[in-house]
Amino acid sequence: MEICIVGTGYVGLVTGACLAEIGHRVVCVDDDLEKIATLKQGRMPIFEPGLDNLVTRNRREGRLSFTTDLKEGIEAATVIFICVGTPPLEDGDADLSAVEQVARQIGELSSAYKLVVEKSTVPVQTGMWIEKTLKVYGGGKDDRFDVASNPEFLREGSAVEDFLHPDRIVVGVGHPRAERLLRDLYEPIVSGDFTCPTHGVCREAGPIPFVVTDIKSAELIKHASNSFLAMKISFINSVADLCELVGADVERVAEGMGLDRRIGRAFLNAGLGFGGFCFPKDLQAFVKIAEKCGYDFGLLREVDRINELRIVQAIKKLKDHLWILKEKVIGVWGLAFKPDTDDVRYSPALALIHRLLAEGVAVKAYDPKAMERVRQQLPSLLYCQDPYEVASGADALVVATEWKEFGDLDLPRVRTLMRRPLMLDGRNLFDPLKMKAMGFEYLGMGR
Ligand code: UGA
């Protein structure tokens, strides 16, 4: 099928590359000249495992191309995916101006039938507004456009894998024609009938659930899923606080809870809380749209509040042990909002560092992928070559992101390098007993 992707951020680029990988012809459009130039030179604007190989191969084989010309992209395609950003406004609402602008342009520039698919995370009722916009700017004809909602469930760091091997595909449609097109488009993934770049032929995986709903329900599935996962994290973080008060271990509690198949172990990792460009903003946007529609989603406001408190509590723990923070040297392992990504947007690690700096701490830091991104916004940090350099001379170390390589370090060496062997393990990466046996003053999260 001929596909146009508008917006080449994480979602757009992964969607475009993966749809090309399963055999479609894809044109990716972005108005960021520099980004398109980078992609045309065969370089990646973001770090995402497996993505560069996919982009390179599909470009070479002629199924994937990049342009800044939206008209060219629209003319070439029957299905257009809107993947532009929906950043948060001051009041937590989602800024939908880019979505509206693209819908308007599609309306004006299309001369034949188009299926317009919202892939960006948007509040419920956005599809309805896209439909209206296409109609008004498309000259009033009703049958030239269909609109569908097709939310993404891609985690940064495993986005390619999540796209090609999803738990489910959700499409919200208002017309059987749209459903037919989307079924055809996703058929190779649903049936596993494609050669997967990591596993080869995946046919034995079995059919992937293809959930068809109305547009509004699909929009809600996205916001509700992200908010539910965020709720699980804040829940276990609250349990972690209680564990500390009574002397229990949250890891064991999560394990015992998670074995119940109705609960599941995933997203019950206590720590510094959730960050990234999805959960914090989606949670707020969900609360906001609910409020606009007349529902007070107090439950989710509390989820957000608990998450904000994680950093405050981490600082308190450091103060409880170091007494005075001013002029202490504190090392931070990890800057990305989670491992396997260079994304630092709404990173709990950065929230913590900002507070440490405000207390007058000298902060040293290392991250395997994200240092370049932070260097511009935080020039006062001491950026280190490796985790050992971070530990050297430090009064305390904080594990802020659970990169696998931190788990494989020579910990006795780390301890001897530190001025004081105090470790705040903000991601429960290490075993408390082993750490204490090695001579660390070890502080976990809820252990
Ligand atoms: C999230 C969702 O998991 C995806 O399904 C969704 O498509 C995506 O948002 C999106 O809306 O685009 P992502 O933001 O990449 O994906 O990251 P997650 O793996 O979900 O982690 C989010 C945050 O929660 C991270 O800061 C992570 O460290 C934290 N987390 C996660 C915990 O603190 N504890 C856990 O048990 C799990």
Side-chain angles (χ1 to χ4, degrees):
M1 290 169 77
E2 310 288 338
I3 294 161
C4 171
I5 305 280
V6 188
T8 57
Y10 275 99
V11 173
L13 200 52
V14 172
T15 303
C18 289
L19 289 178
E21 181 67 17
I22 60 167
H24 301 297
R25 193 179 294 272
V26 182
V27 182
C28 293
V29 185
D30 204 299
D31 59 6
D32 183 335
L33 305 182
E34 208 181 305
K35 202 188 262 181
I36 292 295
T38 304
L39 286 162
K40 280 185 163 175
Q41 285 159 15
R43 292 185 291 121
M44 286 298 111
I46 49 166
F47 167 73
E48 185 61 41
L51 185 61
D52 46 355
N53 285 343
L54 237 59
V55 170
T56 309
R57 183 152 35 80
N58 284 286
R59 275 188 78 214
R60 195 178 54 229
E61 293 172 8
R63 285 186 301 272
L64 181 65
S65 60
F66 299 100
T67 179
T68 51
D69 185 351
L70 183 60
K71 190 167 192 298
E72 180 192 322
I74 290 172
E75 273 172 2
T78 310
V79 184
I80 304 170
F81 282 88
I82 303 183
C83 301
V84 294
T86 52
L89 292 166
E90 279 285 299
D91 64 355
D93 214 347
D95 180 353
L96 297 174
S97 55
V99 173
E100 190 267 351
Q101 195 191 345
V102 172
R104 217 175 339 124
Q105 287 173 297
I106 296 172
E108 285 167 350
L109 297 170
S110 301
S111 51
Y113 170 81
K114 306 288 170 194
L115 168 60
V116 179
V117 187
E118 53 171 33
K119 191 82 165 162
S120 307
T121 300
V122 290
V124 61
Q125 296 174 338
T126 303
M128 180 186 84
W129 280 105
I130 294 177
E131 263 170 359
K132 282 187 193 170
T133 308
L134 289 166
K135 191 172 168 192
V136 171
Y137 289 88
K141 285 198 195 124
D142 252 348
D143 56 350
R144 186 128 52 86
F145 300 103
D146 280 323
V147 172
S149 162
N150 172 218
E152 52 84 16
F153 305 102
L154 311 174
R155 288 162 301 170
E156 288 181 23
S158 55
V160 170
E161 182 73 12
D162 288 348
F163 194 98
L164 296 173
H165 304 286
D167 289 343
R168 78 296 207 190
I169 292 170
V170 174
V171 300
V173 293
H175 196 287
R177 199 168 36 188
E179 179 185 337
R180 260 195 318 273
L181 275 171
L182 288 168
R183 273 192 193 278
D184 285 352
L185 183 115
Y186 281 114
E187 209 286 320
I189 292 180
V190 170
S191 63
D193 195 7
F194 68 102
T195 309
C196 158
T198 35
H199 311 110
V201 178
C202 293
R203 225 167 279 166
E204 65 278 12
I208 305 293
F210 191 84
V211 183
V212 183
T213 68
D214 58 284
I215 297 176
K216 288 178 193 164
S217 299
E219 290 170 333
L220 278 176
I221 287 171
K222 170 67 191 194
H223 261 164
S225 299
N226 272 8
S227 303
F228 189 85
L229 292 171
M231 182 179 76
K232 272 187 105 174
I233 300 170
S234 278
F235 180 86
I236 202 67
N237 281 333
S238 299
V239 174
D241 286 351
L242 185 57
C243 283
E244 285 181 14
L245 292 170
V246 301
D249 183 348
V250 73
E251 292 289 313
R252 305 314 306 274
V253 176
E255 186 190 327
M257 284 173 66
L259 284 169
D260 185 328
R261 271 174 290 178
R262 294 168 305 173
I263 298 173
R265 175 65 182 80
F267 283 72
L268 287 181
N269 295 320
L272 292 176
F274 56 81
F277 204 55
C278 300
F279 283 1
K281 86 172 168 70
D282 290 355
L283 200 63
Q284 284 182 11
F286 200 25
V287 170
K288 204 72 199 172
I289 187 70
E291 185 186 305
K292 277 189 193 167
C293 298
Y295 181 72
D296 175 14
F297 222 141
L299 174 69
L300 294 184
R301 277 193 279 110
E302 187 59 16
V303 167
D304 195 29
R305 193 189 69 86
I306 293 167
N307 197 52
E308 295 278 319
L309 280 178
R310 300 314 289 163
I311 302 299
V312 179
Q313 282 160 330
I315 298 286
K316 182 176 176 305
K317 276 187 184 174
L318 288 170
K319 277 189 182 164
D320 286 348
H321 287 76
L322 291 170
W323 183 26
I324 302 294
L325 291 187
K326 195 169 175 211
E327 287 174 15
K328 290 273 162 51
V329 177
I330 297 187
V332 178
W333 284 352
L335 297 168
F337 83 95
K338 65 172 193 178
D340 297 320
T341 176
D342 63 349
D343 196 346
V344 294
R345 291 175 296 176
Y346 296 93
S347 170
L350 295 199
L352 180 89
I353 289 172
H354 277 293
R355 282 186 184 255
L356 291 175
L357 293 174
E359 295 274 353
V361 171
V363 181
K364 305 171 79 176
Y366 168 78
D367 187 285
K369 292 280 177 211
M371 289 210 283
E372 281 319 304
R373 291 196 184 265
V374 182
R375 223 182 273 271
Q376 298 133 22
Q377 32 169 313
L378 278 172
S380 61
L381 289 196
L382 181 63
Y383 294 92
C384 299
Q385 297 288 330
D386 58 47
Y388 297 109
E389 194 187 334
V390 176
S392 179
D395 296 290
L397 263 180
V398 181
V399 181
T401 316
E402 66 279 32
W403 283 94
K404 191 181 165 301
E405 69 168 76
F406 299 152
D408 301 332
L409 294 171
D410 176 353
L411 293 170
R413 179 174 163 211
V414 170
R415 190 187 57 78
T416 50
L417 287 169
M418 295 176 73
R419 176 148 48 151
R420 174 177 172 177
L422 176 66
M423 176 178 290
L424 172 58
D425 183 357
R427 295 293 174 185
N428 287 345
L429 185 62
F430 298 110
D431 179 330
L433 292 179
K434 285 187 188 154
M435 295 302 281
K436 283 175 188 158
M438 273 184 266
F440 282 94
E441 291 175 66
Y442 177 85
L443 310 170
M445 305 297 279
R447 310 184 81 182

